[in-house]
Structures are given as C-alpha cells and as structure tokens.
Amino acid sequence: MPPAGKPEDFVAAMLRDGLDTRTVGHPVLLHPELDSTMDEVARLSDGGAKEGTVVVAEVQTAGRGRFGRTWVSPEGNLWVSILLRPSLDSLRWLSVLAGIAAARAIASAAGLEVTLKWPNDVRIRGRKVGGVLVENSLSGSEVRHAIIGIGINVALDTSTDFHLASTATALNRECEGPVSRAALLRHLLEEVDRLYESLMAGETPLEEWRGLLDTLGKEVVVRDVTGSDSLDGSYRGVAEDVDVSGNLLLRLPDGGLITLAGGEVTILEAPAFVYIKPGQPRR
Ligand code: BTN
C-alpha cells in the first residue's frame, strides 16, 4: 500500500468512489511528474486521444500560467488538464466555465466561499487559490482541440516565496482540516462536465459567472502584461460589468466606458472615485 496522500491514492480513490460524467474523465491519467499537464494533453491529442481525456500530475517541472508566467507546481496540490473539442463559437466560454467549475468544486469539497477576479483567478478572501489556463489549437476555422488547465493550491506552502506569501493561499490553510484531493478532483471534473454539456446545448454561464466576480463595482487597474493584447498600456477605472462576450466594461474617471477583452486586473483597496451619471441621485 502506498502511504496515504500519495499520488496513486487520490486519483484511484476518486475513480473508486465513482465519477458521474458523460465526457470528462474517460480516461483520467495520473503522472508522478510532468513538464506541464498542458503539454501532455496536447501530445495525447495529437496522437488521437478522446475528448474528455484528463491528465493529472503530482508535480509539474514547467507548469505555466497566463501570460507565460511560471506556475509553481510542487506535490500535494491539484494540477489538471482536460482535453475538449468544442465548437469554434464555444471556445471563448471555456475559461469562464473552468473558473465556475473550480469555484463550485472548492465549495463542495472544502465548504469554502470562493470568488473570481476577472477573468478567472480563483480566490478566497482576496487571495489566489487557483488559476485557469485555456490553450486552443485551430486549423483554419476548425477546432483541433482546446485544453483547459486548472491549478488549485491544496497544500501549497506560500511562505517560501515573498510574492506568493502576500498574494496566494491554499485550501488546507483556509480549512480546519485537510481537504480531500479525491473529492476535489471528482467535483471539479463533474462540474466541468455539466457546464460543458450545457454549453454544447447553447447555454452560457454568464449569470453565475457575474455573481462570482469580486471585481465588479471595484476600482481597478487593468494592464496589458504581454504587450500582445489589444490593450494599449493600462487603464484605471471602475469595473462596472461584463458583457455577453465576457469582456470587462470599465468606467473611466472621465465617464467614458471601455470594453476590455484581456489583461491583468489589480483591485485597488478603496475606490478613489465613483462615477455618477448625469441625473443620477448622489448617495
Ligand atoms: C493562471 O492563473 O495564470 C493560470 C494557472 C494555470 C495552472 C494550471 S496547473 C495545470 C495546468 N498545467 C499548467 O502548466 N498550467 C495549468
């Protein structure tokens, strides 16, 4: 028997308890160590793997986040990628779907309240506990594959890294007792599967997403961190809403409203200004 909590345990335990999905998680493949689960799923897809194939790694040696950043990926956490082949129209909803699935799964497995920082940083009490990365491969207008990557800090020791210590947290730190990775993974895969079925049936999860976003109503700075976004530099304003395409609607101090498709949001503690529409009563 491997010692409790070792990688052999948690995926096998999850499968033993039963996975109630149609597409996602058939199969689930576990690796003690990978470069990145994103790369492994891409390799499997190129080799003809089935839609719904899931790869889990105990350790990633080259885990990555949005904007090409390094994603610190030691053992004891949840690093997972899922292979999907959705329609072209649905692609833009996958990261929203993944953020909602992560929030639902954490609520079910750990009983914690989770919010999302636009677009999809998974947060507990303002600290990042997980992230979502979606990578697509297209051939013309044909979708070869889409890979959803989800990372959730379960046992991450954030104290070893200055940046992580001030911005990140982990489920075991937020909970009374240790969180079961088997339960977390099962809930996560089942929620992705449900949301994906609905998406394929034409339902977009806009309202649930809007309700989870802790960004709305706050003063924020949105930065183009790669230089490759349509965003030109950075903008400061009040995050007013999201639109039906998932864009952020940002109210500028001069009253103008701009639509942002990407970028990194920093939430400022207290709004420096509140834009009052002409004719709107002051409170
Ligand atoms: C982010 O917030 O920047 C997204 C982080 C995504 C991390 C996950 S962990 C599983 C998958 N494999 C990776 O290399 N990245 C994603």
Side-chain angles (χ1 to χ4, degrees):
M1 277 287 279
K6 281 291 172 209
E8 295 87 335
D9 286 352
F10 87 96
V11 170
M14 184 224 30
L15 293 170
R16 252 196 324 273
D17 290 350
L19 182 63
D20 183 14
T21 58
R22 278 174 65 165
T23 307
V24 174
H26 308 292
V28 182
L29 307 168
L30 173 73
H31 292 259
E33 184 175 300
L34 279 175
D35 43 3
S36 159
T37 55
M38 303 303 280
D39 294 332
E40 178 63 9
V41 170
R43 290 188 284 265
L44 292 172
S45 177
D46 292 346
K50 267 173 59 187
E51 182 180 42
T53 297
V54 171
V55 170
V56 179
E58 182 66 24
V59 171
Q60 295 185 116
T61 53
R64 60 177 173 273
R66 292 171 69 221
F67 311 117
R69 288 177 179 153
T70 298
W71 185 261
V72 177
S73 309
E75 65 181 335
N77 300 285
L78 188 60
W79 318 131
V80 52
S81 291
I82 305 166
L83 173 63
L84 295 174
R85 296 203 175 87
S87 63
L88 190 62
D89 285 355
S90 310
L91 282 182
R92 65 198 159 101
W93 286 104
L94 293 185
S95 76
V96 168
L97 175 162
I100 296 172
R104 287 185 187 174
I106 291 170
S108 301
L112 293 167
E113 198 182 316
V114 179
T115 59
L116 299 177
K117 180 164 75 91
W118 184 87
N120 284 304
D121 277 358
V122 186
R123 308 205 314 162
I124 294 173
R125 294 186 295 123
R127 283 169 186 263
K128 184 159 171 166
V129 74
V132 168
L133 180 69
V134 176
E135 294 178 345
N136 303 320
S137 169
L138 301 177
S139 167
S141 59
E142 187 202 331
V143 179
R144 281 211 289 241
H145 66 234
I147 303 172
I148 294 182
I150 302 172
I152 300 179
N153 304 337
V154 178
L156 189 72
D157 178 6
T158 53
S159 66
T160 54
D161 177 298
F162 177 76
H163 179 69
L164 285 182
S166 58
T167 59
T169 190
L171 296 184
N172 285 354
R173 187 172 150 190
E174 300 290 333
C175 276
E176 302 265 305
V179 171
S180 156
R181 286 192 293 168
L184 183 65
L185 178 61
R186 181 165 51 78
H187 285 297
L188 183 68
L189 299 183
E190 289 179 353
E191 296 298 354
V192 171
D193 191 73
R194 264 179 221 144
L195 287 158
Y196 187 59
E197 290 269 312
S198 305
L199 187 66
M200 292 303 100
E203 290 167 41
T204 53
L206 180 66
E207 285 315 315
E208 184 172 356
W209 185 50
R210 189 182 264 132
L212 285 167
L213 287 172
D214 57 17
T215 317
L216 300 184
K218 305 261 175 61
E219 191 184 17
V220 299
V221 172
V222 189
R223 289 189 306 135
D224 170 11
V225 277
T226 57
S228 61
D229 273 343
S230 56
L231 247 183
D232 178 19
S234 73
Y235 292 93
R236 183 171 178 154
V238 175
E240 199 161 281
D241 202 355
V242 284
D243 68 14
V244 288
S245 300
N247 299 312
L248 183 69
L249 304 180
L250 190 72
R251 182 69 67 182
L252 300 177
D254 67 3
L257 189 67
I258 56 168
T259 302
L260 302 173
E264 183 176 57
V265 166
T266 304
I267 300 180
L268 305 174
E269 285 312 314
F273 71 90
V274 177
Y275 175 71
I276 298 171
K277 285 186 192 143
Q280 179 182 321
R282 284 166 188 266
R283 275 178 284 183

